[in-house]
Amino acid sequence: MEPLRGAALLLLLLLAAVAAVCWAQQEQGCVCPKNKRTTNCSLSSGTCRCMSFGSQVSVGCDTLTSKCLLMKAEMAGSKKAGRRRPKFAYVDNDGIYDPDCENSGIFKARQCNGTSCWCVNTAGARRTEKSDRDLQCSELVRTSWIIIETKHTERSTAVDVSHLNEAIKNEFFKRYLLAPKYISDVTYKNPSITIELKQNLSQKSDGDVDIADVAYYFEKDVKDDTLIQNGMLQINISGEPLKFDQTLIYYVDEKAPEFSMKRLTGGVIAVIVVVILAIVAGIVVLVITRKRRSKYEKSEAKEMNEMQRELNP
């Protein structure tokens, strides 16, 4: 019996050692389900945490990563790959910039690219004129309303509008963790879909994802450059997937942007100048025409008076 007991004890010790090794391996590494652009992932109290690529900021993988850190990771990835311009990098009609992020992941109010600086909102979009490095941005203005305009590809079945709102809210909650209360409206006009996200600072709790991050994740999904590890965006209407082929996002801030006439492009300015010149030319022609008509009327009246004097000597 003693040999059997010894063998059993040895087996138990071996199994415990194997379990300990497996547990240690799991603690050392994990995969970030909500962000592909991470590195050095590890489990901490059952939660996967990783370093955001390009910034070395620790992010939790049970929620969305901020748009600022995602943009920075994409820029770092493009530099490492030797590409001058990332395929789907953020463009604000001014070219690509490598954002400065706070340690919390949000955008710094002032962004700079070389010698130019500007102020941004919480979505990272420029809201002031570009200036030099003396520019001061007193606050990071919140984007409280985001309008997503998108179109779906051709379908074999018509879109059931009555189910569209619910389907989008369910998928946005499942995939992006956005509470349905933040989707204020969904409108449809074949093939266009407009999704409105509204989230005031007073409404947002610490555990809620930000609508700017949600819009960015959705934009990347539409462009087939998903940031999420497993699965693609799936919205089914009438048993058929709703596939998107383009998207346009508008940002509405809690305070109006501070743009001036300097923001107008050369083409728009040229059109305005042409219109002004045309108006001035029209006024000049009108004045000249009236002067000539006045002279003609005076001359005609003079001739009539002379004719009357000749007839009545």
Side-chain angles (χ1 to χ4, degrees), residues 277-292:
L277 289 176
I279 293 173
V280 172
I283 294 173
V284 171
V285 170
L286 181 62
V287 171
I288 294 174
T289 302
R290 285 185 174 179
K291 285 184 177 180
R292 288 180 177 178

Side-chain angles (χ1 to χ4, degrees), residues 150-211:
T150 185
K151 293 182 179 180
H152 65 75
T153 57
E154 291 186 7
R155 293 169 50 87
S156 59
T157 59
V159 172
D160 186 345
V161 181
S162 62
H163 293 161
L164 181 63
N165 190 306
E166 182 181 358
I168 288 177
K169 286 184 176 181
N170 289 341
E171 182 63 14
F172 271 51
F173 178 67
K174 175 184 173 183
R175 188 168 180 81
Y176 309 128
L177 309 177
L178 181 69
K181 65 179 180 179
Y182 295 128
I183 300 181
S184 62
D185 194 22
V186 177
T187 57
Y188 177 71
K189 185 177 182 181
N190 188 21
S192 299
I193 301 173
T194 301
I195 306 169
E196 297 189 32
L197 311 179
K198 289 186 178 181
Q199 185 185 62
N200 295 324
L201 185 59
S202 59
Q203 296 175 300
K204 186 178 180 296
S205 64
D206 291 338
D208 290 337
V209 294
D210 195 280
I211 57 174

